[in-house]
């Protein structure tokens, strides 16, 4: 395991700003510790909670920007659907998000090969109409995002030692 360090002052300042900023401090520290990118080599340097946090943030950013189709097209479907990511979310207490990921897994299995193909912007835009079954999952995620992020921030706060060592100045 690689050591991830967070300055207490940075954490306090972020916590005052909000939950997004709070979890972002950990995300940035984890990415810095692994050289800026989560990949096949660096994932082994992290513990399950650190990987799950990076996965949640990546999933949140993709789905909030372009839904599950964008998430899959941009190559994150394998991480979300082919790993125990949904079970980690459930273990963190995110039951509703677990259900969204778990239920949308069937659609991933059916359509991921077509969605992952290189395509023009026009072809990509057409995927939303062609695979409109994802709409309900997109809506459920967007509606629940603030609560999901709050639950993630709470989990991180309750298990800080799983994410980083806090440096007191």
């Amino acid at each position: 395991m690689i050591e991830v360090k967070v300055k207490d002052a940075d954490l306090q300042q972020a916590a005052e700003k909000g939950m997004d900023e709070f979890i972002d401090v950990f995300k940035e520290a984890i990415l810095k510790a692994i050289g800026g990118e989560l990949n096949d080599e660096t994932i082994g340097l992290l513990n399950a909670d650190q990987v799950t946090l990076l996965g949640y943030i990546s999933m949140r950013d993709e789905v909030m920007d372009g839904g599950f189709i964008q998430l899959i097209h941009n190559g994150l479907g394998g991480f979300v659907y082919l790993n125990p990511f949904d079970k980690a979310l459930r273990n963190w207490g995110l039951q509703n998000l677990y259900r969204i990921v778990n239920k949308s897994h069937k659609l991933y299995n059916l359509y991921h090969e077509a969605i992952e193909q290189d395509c023009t912007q026009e072809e990509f835009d057409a995927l939303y109409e062609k695979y409109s079954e994802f709409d309900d999952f997109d809506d459920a995620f967007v509606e629940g995002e603030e609560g999901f992020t709050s639950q993630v921030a709470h989990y991180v706060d309750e298990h800080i030692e799983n994410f980083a060592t806090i440096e007191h100045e």
Side-chain angles (χ1 to χ4, degrees):
M1 289 297 140
I2 197 161
E3 186 171 16
V4 176
K5 297 179 182 183
V6 171
K7 291 182 181 173
D8 186 50
D10 293 343
L11 199 53
Q12 296 298 329
Q13 189 176 38
E16 289 175 14
K17 291 180 182 175
M19 61 192 169
D20 291 323
E21 291 81 359
F22 177 77
I23 62 175
D24 196 51
V25 168
F26 290 94
K27 176 192 90 168
E28 292 302 323
I30 293 166
L31 288 174
K32 181 179 178 185
I34 60 171
E37 183 182 356
L38 183 64
N39 56 41
D40 291 341
E41 291 177 29
T42 60
I43 198 168
L45 301 173
L46 302 175
N47 67 39
D49 277 345
Q50 292 166 327
V51 172
T52 301
L53 178 63
L54 293 180
Y56 172 74
I57 293 169
S58 296
M59 181 178 79
R60 179 194 66 189
D61 293 350
E62 289 291 334
V63 175
M64 292 300 288
D65 188 49
F68 282 93
I69 287 176
Q70 178 175 303
L71 175 127
I72 295 166
H73 181 75
N74 287 343
L76 290 171
F79 178 85
V80 170
Y81 295 107
L82 301 179
N83 289 298
F85 179 68
D86 61 340
K87 288 163 188 58
L89 295 173
R90 184 179 61 198
N91 291 339
W92 282 19
L94 285 95
Q95 300 301 327
N96 290 336
L97 183 53
Y98 164 80
R99 285 184 199 100
I100 292 169
V101 172
N102 192 271
K103 289 180 179 179
S104 63
H105 192 159
K106 179 181 175 186
L107 297 178
Y108 171 80
N109 287 340
L110 289 171
Y111 304 128
H112 78 93
E113 290 178 5
I115 294 171
E116 291 168 348
Q117 297 296 313
D118 286 337
C119 58
T120 65
Q121 183 64 49
E122 187 176 292
E123 292 167 331
F124 174 75
D125 293 342
L127 293 174
Y128 289 97
E129 188 172 327
K130 186 172 183 179
Y131 303 111
S132 61
E133 298 103 314
F134 284 100
D135 290 351
D136 289 340
F137 298 109
D138 293 344
D139 293 345
F141 187 91
V142 169
E143 289 171 15
E145 184 274 329
E146 188 173 331
F148 301 149
T149 299
S150 177
Q151 288 177 283
V152 167
H154 181 74
Y155 183 88
V156 171
D157 190 40
E158 293 290 315
H159 302 88
I160 282 180
E161 68 280 357
N162 294 353
F163 296 92
T165 301
I166 308 302
E167 294 182 319
H168 301 278
E169 295 155 16

